[in-house]
Amino acid sequence: GAVVSQHPSRVICKSGTSVKIECRSLDFQATTMFWYRQFPKQSLMLMATSNEGSKATYEQGVEKDKFLINHASLTLSTLTVTSAHPEDSSFYICSAKTGDQPQHFGDGTRLSIL
Amino acid sequence: KQEVTQIPAALSVPEGENLVLNCSFTDSAIYNLQWFRQDPGKGLTSLLLIQSSQREQTSGRLNASLDKSSGRSTLYIAASQPGDSATYLCAVSAYGNNRLAFGKGNQVVVIP
């Protein structure tokens, strides 16, 4: 149980393109979803926390107009990287949880901006 | 702000040796501590979760200890195998499993 699916697993696109990443909890209702970013050989850095039906809470230094998060249902959250540039290239990972249970992680999305 | 440090950053061991991975954190007011495994280009697989009131957790060849007062955790992997090669991440959680603070990981290579 507690499976989190993230799609797509890999995206390569041109600079200036907007990219949407989906995170779904397949077998549980996620009251809270999290988006992380990971650079090579670095730790996961929390970007934002989203609760279903409300606006996401962004960490300091994360541009909310750049990284749009929508948590429209208890099983789906999306992260849209708007007008992506090469410096946005990274590994993005989502997680989901219900109540005060542990977070369950997706398999991540490798984003490469040319 | 919680800071999590993992030492060593990378290590290689011959197959069969025991692995000892260390994690330290600066704020002892944690809800729980987790050890994850991450394979290259992949997401996280949870290995062990220790609640703040617990001292250790065991699963098969894996044992994790927690000393909350000193801000330390150790992951032991007995009789290492080549399949254990991966990056191991330590993460501490604030109340309610909301804010996970991660270390940079211990990158392990087990040599056949």
Side-chain angles (χ1 to χ4, degrees):
Chain A
V3 177
V4 176
S5 173
Q6 192 171 336
H7 179 80
S9 59
R10 179 89 193 248
V11 179
I12 302 172
C13 58
K14 294 181 179 180
S15 184
T17 306
S18 291
V19 179
K20 180 185 283 189
I21 303 170
E22 293 187 348
C23 180
R24 295 180 183 271
S25 57
L26 298 185
D27 54 358
F28 68 101
Q29 293 187 324
T31 51
T32 310
M33 289 186 168
F34 305 85
W35 288 95
Y36 296 84
R37 182 172 179 174
Q38 185 182 32
F39 289 107
K41 299 192 185 300
Q42 298 296 312
S43 60
L44 274 74
M45 297 301 297
L46 180 64
M47 298 175 66
T49 302
S50 74
N51 293 295
E52 185 265 340
S54 61
K55 289 184 179 180
T57 301
Y58 290 81
E59 295 299 300
Q60 190 173 9
V62 177
E63 301 175 56
K64 61 180 180 181
D65 295 331
K66 174 76 171 178
F67 300 99
L68 301 179
I69 292 172
N70 184 280
H71 191 166
S73 76
L74 284 172
T75 59
L76 174 64
S77 176
T78 60
L79 168 68
T80 301
V81 184
T82 61
S83 187
H85 291 284
E87 59 267 28
D88 298 322
S89 298
S90 189
F91 192 58
Y92 294 85
I93 305 178
C94 74
S95 70
K97 75 179 186 77
T98 184
D100 62 355
Q101 296 300 305
Q103 297 178 30
H104 299 278
F105 288 82
D107 281 340
T109 297
R110 171 71 59 193
L111 176 61
S112 300
I113 308 298
L114 305 177
Chain B
K1 180 187 174 186
Q2 180 74 269
E3 300 283 345
V4 181
T5 303
Q6 291 187 244
I7 295 172
L11 71 161
S12 296
V13 298
E15 182 177 1
E17 268 199 18
N18 298 330
L19 282 163
V20 180
L21 308 178
N22 296 300
C23 171
S24 61
F25 47 95
T26 54
D27 186 350
S28 62
I30 64 170
Y31 188 64
N32 59 41
L33 181 144
Q34 282 185 272
W35 283 94
F36 295 89
R37 171 183 171 138
Q38 186 177 31
D39 292 292
K42 300 293 185 182
L44 276 61
T45 300
S46 181
L47 298 174
L48 291 167
L49 183 151
I50 313 175
Q51 299 292 352
S52 62
S53 59
Q54 297 175 319
R55 299 283 294 192
E56 67 176 349
Q57 281 287 338
T58 298
S59 175
R61 294 184 294 112
L62 276 61
N63 174 277
S65 65
L66 173 64
D67 184 342
K68 199 174 80 160
S69 61
S70 67
R72 296 174 191 269
S73 175
T74 301
L75 177 67
Y76 299 88
I77 303 177
S80 61
Q81 303 170 358
D84 295 328
S85 299
T87 296
Y88 293 83
L89 296 169
C90 168
V92 294
S93 170
Y95 180 76
N97 283 303
N98 278 331
R99 298 186 62 80
L100 280 178
F102 284 85
K104 291 183 180 180
N106 307 107
Q107 186 175 3
V108 172
V109 174
V110 179
I111 304 165

